[in-house]
Every structure is written in C-alpha cells, then in structure tokens.
C-alpha cells in the first residue's frame, strides 16, 4: 500500500512537469492511465492475498492454542487415570492378600506362583514357604487324585470345581471348595490358572449333622409307635408312617394322595384341614383334640390328634403334621376302671339295696300269706283279693326298679349319649341314699324345678355322680370335724335343680352344712386317688370318675365354699330335641320299626298263632293262658329246639322267647327264625343283665321288642298288638 501511494505521487509530479515542460499526446495519457489501472488492480489482488494469509495464520494460531489446551487436559486425565489405576492396583492387591478366601496362581508345572495370606493360613505356612512349592504338598493324600484331575481340566482351558481336603503342617484337615479357571494376564506364566480355596469345613459338618438329624427324625417318623402323617396345604396326605398305616389298615399306596377329610368319621367336621387350606394358622400353630378316624371296611378308631402347622420344604408355603394316638385301648381301660368303681359303689351300697329289695319282698310275702290264710278261714273275698294282688303288683314294680338300677349300675356304659330326664336321675339317686340319710338323722331336701327338661348324657352316670357326692356329704357331716362345726345344729344336705338363664345348661347343686375345704384340697380333689379320708374309708376315685362322666356329657363340676358349708355345682347341656326320655331301666323297649308285613296273614275269624318259649313252664303257661283268653292261639315250648320243631309244622306269626334255656337257647332260635322265608315278630323277655350298653343295643337289634323280667302281661299284649295286628283282637 505504501508503494502504491509513492507511485501515485511521483506520477503527479511528472504530469505537472509535463504540463510545464512537454505536452504529450492524448493517447499516451490513456495508455499510462490504463497501465496505472492494471498496476493498481495487481496491487489490490496482492493485498487481498496478504489478507487471506493473515486470516489463515490467525486461525492456525487459534487452533494451535486449542490443541495445546486439549493436550494439557489429556495430560491431566492421564495423570488422574494413572493415580486411579495405582489406587486400584493397591486396593485389589489388598483385597487379594486380605480376602477371606484363599487365592493361588498355579503354574502349568503345578507349583504355586503366588498366594494370599488366607491361602497361607489354610496351608499353615508363610508366603515364602508357599511360593514355588508344589501344590500337592499342602493337599491331603486322599485328595491327590482329585486335585490332579482338577488341574488337568483347568490347564486344558476349562473351569473346574471340586471338594478337596487341605492338610496343614500341624496335621489340621480342612475341607475346601476349590474353584479354578485359566488366567490370561500378561504378567502371568503361560498356561497358569487362578485357584480359590473356600473353607467349607463347618458347612460340611453342619451338612453331616443335618443329614444325621434328618436320618434320626426320619427314623422317628418311620419307627414311631404312634401314627404320623404329613399333609399338603390342600389337605392331602403326603407321607404316613407304619404305625398310622397299621392303625387304619391301609397301605402307603392307598393313603398317598387321599384327602385328610376322607379319614374322618362322617359326622366329624375337618375344621383343622380347612384352616390349613385357607392359610389361617401360622407355622408353629399346634392344637390337640380327639377325632374319630375311619379305616379299612369303615373301621372306626377313637384317637387323640396333635395337629401342627410347619413350613413346607421350599419355605414359601405351609404343610400339616398330624400325630395320631390310638385312644381305643385307653378308653376301654378307663371304662373298665370306671366300671370297677361302679361295682365298688354297688358293694358299698349293698346294705341300702338289700333293704330296698327286702322291703317289697316282705310286703309280697305278707300279702300272699295273709290272703291264703283268709281264704282258708273266710273264703274268697273278691274286693280284698283285688286289693291284695294290686299291692303285690306294686311291690313287684318297686322291686323291679331296684334290680334294674343294680343291673344298670353294674353294666358298662359304652353307648352314645342321649337325652334323658335329670329329674328322674335325681329321684333314683336320692331313693338309693334316702334310708341311710334317715338312719343317720341327716335331713335331705330336694328342690327340683326342671320338670320335663332333659339333658344330654347317660342317666346312670349322672345317678352315680349324685350318689358319690351325696355319700361324700354324708361322710363329711358325720365326721368329727363336721360334728364339731355344726355344734349341735342338725345335719342337712340339699339337692336343687334348675335351668340356667341362658337356657342352654341345667344346673344341679348338692350342698351341705358340713366342713369347708381348703384351696389346696379344692385344686386336687378331682385328681385320681386323692382323698382326705383314711385308706379304709375311701379310694380317691369317686370324684375323679364323677368329673370324667360329666365331662363326657359335655358338662363340668364346680366346687365352692358357702356360708353353710360346701356345695357342688353340676352343669349339663340341655337337650333341645323333643325326644321322650330313654328307659334306662330297660323295663321296656318299643318295637324297632314298623310292624312286619307278614305274607298270608290270618283271614277274618282266624286267630293269630303265637309261640311262647321259656324253660320256666309256669311262666310260659301263665303268659299263654292270658293270650288265649284275649283271642290268640298259643303254643308253649320249653326250649329252642322244641320251639323250632313246632314252628316248622305250624308256623307262628309271633314268637315270645327267653334267652337262657337248655337244649338250644333263645339266640339259636332267633337265628333260625330270621333265616326263614316268612318274617316272624320276635319278642324277647329275659332276666339276663347286659354287661354293656353295646350288648344291650345288640339285643334290641335282634328282636322287634325287648322286655325285662319280671314282665307285665299288659306290656306283652301292647307290643304284640303293635307287631301282629288282628281286627278281632
């Protein structure tokens, strides 16, 4: 630019000189102007190139500064990365050396290249004593073969895991889980491997202990003398032991997968299985209850079940464990025990029972002898004879009630509970002890507000409970302490019965004004063999058996000290059913079902044939004469064989038979009659006492009617007319 300015100035000087000195032509001037224009354009182009170069140089300087900044940042990052890398190396070196797992790098020559402190602890050696030593030196000889196979696999390029026993210098043996994989680090020897040693000695010990424990519990489950079974959450049987299979009479194959509810008796609700299925009980829930189980051929077992809920194998769900105790023999033993106590009570009451029997016998004898004497002296007086026979019948009924009670008390109560009259039980019990109380000057008061209200249970058992408590009250009132406490006051006992306010229970209270009892005695007075009497006066079983009886009926017994003395409260569930009380005395039993339909019934005017069978000919003839008098045709037989021969030639519509007879008894005759083609109405009249309620039920099932001796002619006719109807009778 400066050059251009200098040229223009010189040109102007020359022009001025030309004007003054030499005049040029116009064309020359134009040429010069054109030349100057070209030169100016060249100068301008050159100036533009210089400007581009300067811009490029400035841009290059800026890029250089940027690259320098980037290099400084990269250098900083590299320095920081080197620090991190060094830190990681130190950290991983610390982790390697301080790891709780033994680490070793093993060369292809099976020597230890390096090892951490944990490996040294496992091998019981320092690092300098381990490195460059064969690994087999630190392995138990029994594991050498396993280690060789392990390293062969790893050094060939694969991974391996084995359990190997490590042997320390001091003889310590440790079971280790050895895991190896080939190494690829640059500084590692060729074909080396990284091997870890994890001490699993305690785990193996725990596994062995667990195995031993599982074996022990498996043996307990399998060999237990009581039944055991496991249930799935949906209530199906998974496993059962031999005892359970033996109780039920079913094989393991039959039980597997069966529903728990199918093992229960039809009238039992499997609430525990339903709760298990609904997930209500938590693991650890245990309950004990009695259940009736059903085995092969509908065999029933009374059992005590312990039902427990425990976690399943996966721990995510629950399953049930059922322990079964067969209570059949125990219940039978308890029943025998209770029966023995009843017989003991019967023996203790023998004096009162003898009086109850001798009184009606005395009246019968006096009436009979008096009637005979009057017949001899004054002839027959119909009105007086009728009164005498009525009195004899009344005393026979009284005597029959006493005998029936004795037979009922001596019989084992094995039947089901049923509605019965509590008032009747109270009257029977009081009747048995009333004379003793009167003889001992003890006032016995009765307040019965129950009327026809019934309880659920067994009448004979309640009678025995009442007699036990009343006899205990009598003994307490007559004891030295009782006499001292009364201080001249009359001895009193009271029995009251009423319906509870809720209407669900009956309450019978037996109280007396004798001695009270201490708290310790109250806690133990219902325990077996506990008694405050001397060994000659009591066995300590009465109250224990009484409580068992009441508990079986669904009730309870409570004892309290009162202002006057002591009171026993008996609570029994009320019977809601409108069922007539069962005749516990077995005086009579209604026909088991509707009157049999006999083919070829007697036509109009024909008398029904009745066969009376009894080895007591007088009794048989008396029954036959009475039936003949009211329109029946009667044949008398003295044993079962004779009766069957008569029935074959002259079929009977009804057979009235005794059971115990010579030359074929009543059981034999009934079997033959039932096997015949034509049905026969069978009535049993027996004086044989049933030994248990089950035996009594079997007798009832064998006959259409069952009567106890001495039987009433009116009852015989009533049952006979119900079973063999005839329009002319």
């Amino acid at each position: 630019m400066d050059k251009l300015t200098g040229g223009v100035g010189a040109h102007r000087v020359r022009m001025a000189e030309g004007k003054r000195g030499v005049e040029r032509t116009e064309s020359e001037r134009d040429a010069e102007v054109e030349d100057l224009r070209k030169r100016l354009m060249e100068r301008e182009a050159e100036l533009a190139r210089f400007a581009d170069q300067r811009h490029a140089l400035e841009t290059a300087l800026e890029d250089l500064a940027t690259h320098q900044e980037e290099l400084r940042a990269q250098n900083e990052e590299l320095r920081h990365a080197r620090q991190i890398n060094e830190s990681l190396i130190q950290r991983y070196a610390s982790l390697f050396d301080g790891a709780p797992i033994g680490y070793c790098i093993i060369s292809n020559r099976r020597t230890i290249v390096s090892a951490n402190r944990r490996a040294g602890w496992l091998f019981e050696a320092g690092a300098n004593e381990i490195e460059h030593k064969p690994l087999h030196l630190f392995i138990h000889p029994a594991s050498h073969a396993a280690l060789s196979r392990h390293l062969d696999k790893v050094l060939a390029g694969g991974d391996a895991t084995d359990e190997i026993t490590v042997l320390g210098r001091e003889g310590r043996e440790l079971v280790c889980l050895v895991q190896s994989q080939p190494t690829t680090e640059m500084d590692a020897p060729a074909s080396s491997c990284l091997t870890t040693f994890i001490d699993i000695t305690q785990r193996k010990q725990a596994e062995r202990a667990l195995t031993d424990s599982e074996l022990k519990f498996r043996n307990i489950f399998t060999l237990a003398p009581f039944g055991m079974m496991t249930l799935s959450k949906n209530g199906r049987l998974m496993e059962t032991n031999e005892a359970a299979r033996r109780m039920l009479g079913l094989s393991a194959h039959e039980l597997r997968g069966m529903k728990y509810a199918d093992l229960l008796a039809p009238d039992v609700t499997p609430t525990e299985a339903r709760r298990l299925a609904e997930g209500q009980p938590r693991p650890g829930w245990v309950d004990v209850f009695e259940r009736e189980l059903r085995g092969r051929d509908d065999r029933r077992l009374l059992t005590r079940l312990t039902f427990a809920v425990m976690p399943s194998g996966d721990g995510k769900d629950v399953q049930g464990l059922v322990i079964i105790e067969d209570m059949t023999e125990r219940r039978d033993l308890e029943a025998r025990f209770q029966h023995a106590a009843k017989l003991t009570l019967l023996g203790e009451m023998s004096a009162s029972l003898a009086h109850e029997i001798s009184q009606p016998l005395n009246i019968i004898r006096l009436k009979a002898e008096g009637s005979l004497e009057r017949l001899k002296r004054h002839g027959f007086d119909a009105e007086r004879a009728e009164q005498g026979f009525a009195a004899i019948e009344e005393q026979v009924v009284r005597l029959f009630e006493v005998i029936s009670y004795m037979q009922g008390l001596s019989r084992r109560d094995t039947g089901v509970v049923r509605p019965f009259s509590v008032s009747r039980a109270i009257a029977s019990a009081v009747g048995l002890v009333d004379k003793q109380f009167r003889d001992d000057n003890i006032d016995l008061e009765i307040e019965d507000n129950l009327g026809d209200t019934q309880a659920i249970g067994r009448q004979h058992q309640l009678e025995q409970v009442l007699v036990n408590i009343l006899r205990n009250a009598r003994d307490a009132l007559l004891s030295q302490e009782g006499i001292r406490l009364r201080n001249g006051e009359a001895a009193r006992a009271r029995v009251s019965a009423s319906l509870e306010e809720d209407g669900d229970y009956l309450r019978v209270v037996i109280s007396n004004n004798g001695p009270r009892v201490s708290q310790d005695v109250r806690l133990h007075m219902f325990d077996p063999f506990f008694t405050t009497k001397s060994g000659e006066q009591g066995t300590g079983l009465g109250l224990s058996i009484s409580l068992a009886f009441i508990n079986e009926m669904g009730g309870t017994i409570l004892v309290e000290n009162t202002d006057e003395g002591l009171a026993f409260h008996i609570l029994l569930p009320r019977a809601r059913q409108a069922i007539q009380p069962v005749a516990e005395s077995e005086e009579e039993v209604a026909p088991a079902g509707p009157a049999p339909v006999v083919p070829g019934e007697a036509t109009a005017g024909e008398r029904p044939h009745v066969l009376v069978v009894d080895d007591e000919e007088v009794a048989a003839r008396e029954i036959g004469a009475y039936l003949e008098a009211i329109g029946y045709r009667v044949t008398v037989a003295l044993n079962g064989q004779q009766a069957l021969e008569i029935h074959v030639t002259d079929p009977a519509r009804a057979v009235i038979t005794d059971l115990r007879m010579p030359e074929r008894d009543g059981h034999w005759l009934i079997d033959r009659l039932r096997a015949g083609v034509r049905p026969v109405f069978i009535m049993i009249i027996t004086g044989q006492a049933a030994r248990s309620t089950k035996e009594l039920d079997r007798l009832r099932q064998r006959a259409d009617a069952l009567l106890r001796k001495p039987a009433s002619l009116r009852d015989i006719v009533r049952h006979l007319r119900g079973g063999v109807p005839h329009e002319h009778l």
Side-chain angles (χ1 to χ4, degrees):
M1 184 63 71
D2 292 338
K3 291 180 180 181
L4 180 61
T5 304
V8 172
H11 178 67
R12 288 178 178 174
V13 172
R14 286 192 299 270
M15 286 183 67
E17 290 177 353
K19 286 180 179 181
R20 288 191 306 266
V22 183
E23 289 187 5
R24 297 180 179 176
T25 62
E26 188 67 29
S27 59
E28 290 177 349
R29 289 196 301 272
D30 293 339
E32 289 180 358
V33 170
E34 185 64 28
D35 180 59
L36 289 173
R37 184 181 291 112
K38 289 181 179 178
R39 292 175 62 185
L40 180 61
M41 290 176 64
E42 290 176 356
R43 293 291 184 180
E44 288 178 351
E46 185 178 0
L47 183 61
R49 284 195 301 272
F50 287 153
D52 291 339
Q53 291 176 357
R54 181 178 179 179
H55 178 70
L57 182 59
E58 290 175 351
T59 301
L61 290 174
E62 290 177 358
D63 291 341
L64 180 60
T66 300
H67 288 311
Q68 287 178 344
E69 190 65 29
E70 289 177 352
L71 286 175
R72 282 194 297 270
Q74 289 177 359
N75 288 335
E76 184 66 24
E77 289 178 359
L78 288 173
R79 185 182 63 80
H80 183 65
R82 180 177 295 175
Q83 292 176 350
I84 292 175
N85 189 34
E86 291 175 354
S87 176
L88 289 175
I89 291 173
Q90 293 177 358
R91 182 184 304 174
Y92 284 113
S94 299
L95 288 175
F96 177 83
D97 201 40
I101 298 173
Y103 285 102
C104 292
I105 295 178
I106 310 299
S107 69
N108 58 353
R109 300 181 63 184
R110 318 297 172 92
T111 59
I112 301 173
V113 177
S114 62
N116 67 349
R117 286 200 303 267
R118 181 63 177 179
W121 180 88
L122 293 173
F123 300 154
E124 291 187 323
N128 58 343
E129 298 173 313
I130 295 175
E131 294 179 354
H132 310 297
K133 298 291 179 64
L135 179 60
H136 284 73
L137 293 178
F138 307 100
I139 303 301
H140 194 282
S143 297
H144 282 179
L147 178 64
S148 297
R149 291 192 298 270
H150 178 91
L151 294 177
D152 289 342
K153 181 178 179 181
V154 177
L155 295 175
D159 296 342
T161 301
D162 289 288
E163 291 183 5
I164 292 176
T165 302
V166 172
L167 182 64
R169 288 189 307 180
E170 302 298 329
R172 182 183 63 183
E173 297 181 9
L174 297 176
V175 180
C176 292
L177 181 67
V178 179
Q179 296 176 320
S180 300
Q181 58 183 6
T183 58
T184 57
E185 287 79 358
M186 294 179 61
D187 57 346
S191 301
S192 64
C193 64
L194 176 64
T195 302
T196 61
F197 292 82
I198 303 174
D199 184 5
I200 59 171
T201 305
Q202 292 184 351
R203 191 185 82 183
K204 296 298 291 184
Q205 292 174 350
E207 288 178 355
R208 284 194 295 269
L210 180 60
T211 301
D212 293 342
S213 177
E214 288 179 350
L215 180 61
K216 182 186 300 181
F217 283 106
R218 171 59 58 184
N219 290 335
I220 291 175
F221 182 88
T222 305
L223 304 176
F226 44 81
M228 298 181 72
M229 59 179 64
T230 57
L231 307 178
S232 63
K233 185 177 179 181
N234 60 3
R236 292 191 178 274
L237 274 63
M238 296 189 297
E239 290 184 280
T240 55
N241 69 347
E242 178 61 29
R245 297 192 288 269
R246 186 171 57 252
M247 288 180 190
L248 300 171
L250 298 171
S251 66
H253 178 72
E254 291 172 314
L255 287 170
R256 181 124 183 125
M258 181 184 291
K259 289 185 178 180
Y260 171 72
D262 294 338
L263 293 179
L264 302 179
D267 52 348
V268 177
T269 303
T271 54
E272 59 273 12
R274 186 167 62 246
R275 292 185 63 190
L276 178 67
E278 294 173 354
Q280 293 179 359
R282 298 178 179 273
W285 176 82
V286 179
D287 199 3
V288 180
F289 35 74
E290 290 189 356
R291 287 283 187 267
E292 191 175 27
L293 298 185
R294 180 174 52 181
R296 184 180 297 280
D297 301 327
D298 286 334
R299 178 175 57 181
R300 292 198 172 195
L301 296 173
L302 181 61
T303 64
R304 184 194 302 276
L305 298 186
T306 301
F307 197 98
V309 177
M310 57 186 184
S312 61
D314 57 8
K316 298 179 180 179
D317 218 328
V318 295
Q319 62 183 17
L321 172 66
V322 183
I323 300 175
I324 310 169
E325 299 176 73
D326 189 352
M327 302 295 290
T328 306
E329 293 184 2
R330 178 175 175 179
R331 285 288 182 263
D332 184 65
L333 183 60
E334 290 177 354
R336 292 174 182 271
F337 199 47
Q338 294 169 356
H339 183 60
K342 293 194 327 184
L343 294 180
T344 301
L345 176 63
L346 190 61
E348 294 174 354
M349 295 169 56
S350 58
S352 298
L353 293 172
H355 173 269
E356 293 296 327
I357 293 173
S358 62
Q359 283 290 87
L361 285 176
N362 184 55
I363 295 173
I364 291 171
R365 183 173 186 176
L366 293 175
K367 283 288 185 181
E369 289 183 355
S371 298
L372 288 173
E373 288 297 324
R374 280 191 293 274
L375 282 173
K376 292 177 181 178
R377 294 181 182 181
H378 307 292
F380 182 72
D381 184 346
E383 182 178 355
R384 189 153 189 162
E386 183 178 355
Q387 293 175 355
F389 287 129
I392 290 175
E393 183 182 19
E394 180 182 347
Q395 295 307 310
V396 170
V397 171
R398 177 182 173 186
L399 182 61
F400 173 70
E401 289 178 350
V402 175
I403 295 174
S404 296
Y405 179 81
M406 292 173 61
Q407 290 177 333
L409 192 62
S410 64
R411 183 176 61 245
R412 292 178 59 187
D413 291 307
T414 54
V416 297
V417 296
R418 60 187 70 182
F420 70 95
S421 171
V422 176
S423 298
R424 183 174 178 177
I426 293 173
S428 298
V430 170
L432 288 172
V433 300
D434 183 59
K435 182 180 184 300
Q436 287 183 331
F437 274 60
R438 285 189 281 107
D439 292 344
D440 294 325
N441 296 317
I442 301 174
D443 295 333
L444 182 55
E445 303 173 2
I446 309 297
E447 183 183 354
D448 185 0
N449 299 315
L450 293 178
D452 296 331
T453 306
Q454 300 176 8
I456 297 290
R458 299 186 181 99
Q459 180 176 324
H460 274 298
Q461 288 184 345
L462 179 58
E463 291 173 5
Q464 183 180 350
V465 171
L466 295 174
V467 170
N468 278 333
I469 296 176
L470 286 170
R471 286 175 58 82
N472 286 343
R474 169 183 169 274
D475 294 340
L477 289 168
L478 298 179
S479 66
Q480 293 296 327
E481 184 181 2
I483 296 173
R484 180 181 59 82
L485 289 174
R486 287 191 282 109
N487 194 21
E489 182 182 358
R492 295 190 308 275
R494 188 168 184 269
V495 180
S496 62
S498 59
L499 185 64
E500 292 287 272
E501 293 183 359
D502 57 11
D504 293 330
Y505 283 86
L506 308 175
R507 182 183 294 268
V508 181
V509 182
I510 305 101
S511 58
N512 63 78
N513 63 339
R516 299 172 180 84
V517 296
S518 66
Q519 179 65 19
D520 184 62
V521 172
R522 287 176 60 190
L523 291 175
H524 298 284
M525 64 193 311
F526 290 102
D527 293 347
F529 304 107
F530 178 84
T531 179
T532 57
K533 303 176 184 179
S534 65
E536 297 178 355
Q537 292 181 322
T539 61
L541 295 175
L543 289 179
S544 173
I545 293 173
S546 297
L547 180 61
F549 283 162
I550 299 302
N551 286 343
E552 285 179 9
M553 301 182 202
T556 188
I557 303 179
L558 305 174
V559 184
E560 66 171 353
N561 290 316
T562 65
D563 295 337
E564 283 194 337
L566 190 66
F568 286 80
H569 295 255
I570 301 175
L571 293 175
L572 291 173
R574 177 189 180 186
R576 295 288 185 179
Q577 304 95 317
I579 300 177
Q580 294 299 322
V582 175
E584 289 284 344
S585 63
E586 307 170 27
E587 181 177 353
E588 58 185 62
V589 180
V597 179
V598 183
E601 287 194 2
T603 59
E606 181 183 349
R607 297 189 302 167
H609 181 205
V610 178
L611 182 59
V612 179
V613 189
D614 198 325
D615 58 334
E616 292 288 344
E617 187 173 359
V618 175
R621 297 293 180 189
E622 189 65 30
I623 295 173
Y626 186 80
L627 295 179
E628 285 277 359
I630 63 174
Y632 287 97
R633 181 168 64 88
V634 180
T635 305
V636 173
L638 302 182
N639 55 62
Q641 182 67 46
Q642 185 180 355
L644 185 62
E645 292 173 358
I646 294 172
H647 180 70
V648 170
T649 58
D650 186 9
R653 295 274 307 285
V655 175
I656 302 172
T657 181
D658 192 7
L659 290 179
R660 298 186 63 178
M661 296 178 294
E663 298 183 34
R664 308 297 187 184
D665 60 10
H667 295 289
W668 180 88
L669 175 61
I670 292 172
D671 290 338
R672 273 52 184 182
L673 294 174
R674 292 300 190 202
V677 177
R678 299 181 58 180
V680 181
F681 180 83
I682 298 175
M683 183 187 306
I684 295 175
I685 302 178
T686 180
Q688 181 182 355
R691 289 169 294 181
S692 67
T693 51
K694 285 185 177 179
E695 183 177 342
L696 180 61
D697 290 338
R698 286 195 293 268
L699 284 178
R700 290 169 176 162
Q701 293 172 0
R702 291 179 63 80
D704 300 294
L706 173 65
L707 297 181
R708 295 277 298 124
K709 291 182 178 180
S712 166
L713 292 172
R714 289 188 295 271
D715 292 335
I716 294 174
V717 172
R718 176 166 58 85
H719 287 297
L720 192 57
R721 284 177 174 170
V724 186
H726 190 58
E727 58 183 4
H728 296 291
L729 297 178

